[in-house]
Amino acid sequence: QNINVCVQCPNLEGILLRMIPNNERLQPTGAKAHSQLCQAWPDYQKPADTRTLAAKFSLKDLLRVGQVDSELNAFLSLLGLSNV
């Protein structure tokens, strides 16, 4: 049986940055994702707990990123969460 591998690109901070409205098309590098996220979300502190993330983001934010990221959209589709 095959497995599907999900790779965070570039990292968690990069995905969180892209989940902020109007940032979904950004392609941050791993080295700069944290600083860019802190600029866009000044209250961000690493590591963010689940309550902080749930208060900031919704599934709609993740789906919006999936609309411009085909690999993320494919993964969301496997989970039954895709827009398509």
Side-chain angles (χ1 to χ4, degrees):
Q1 188 173 24
N2 294 334
I3 64 168
N4 291 296
V5 176
C6 176
V7 177
Q8 294 178 353
C9 187
N11 52 29
L12 178 60
E13 283 82 13
I15 291 173
L16 295 177
L17 174 63
R18 295 178 70 200
M19 289 175 64
I20 295 173
N22 301 313
N23 287 346
E24 54 272 354
R25 294 188 184 278
L26 293 179
Q27 296 295 319
T29 64
K32 293 189 177 185
H34 184 262
S35 63
Q36 288 177 296
L37 177 60
C38 288
Q39 282 183 326
W41 181 12
D43 295 332
Y44 175 74
Q45 292 184 341
K46 187 176 181 174
D49 60 57
T50 56
R51 289 183 187 186
T52 301
L53 295 175
K56 179 74 174 174
F57 301 109
S58 69
L59 177 59
K60 187 168 90 171
D61 296 314
L62 186 61
L63 293 175
R64 189 180 60 254
V65 178
Q67 289 176 338
V68 297
D69 185 325
S70 61
E71 290 186 22
L72 177 58
N73 194 55
F75 179 68
L76 294 173
S77 182
L78 284 173
L79 299 175
L81 298 174
S82 177
N83 288 321
V84 181

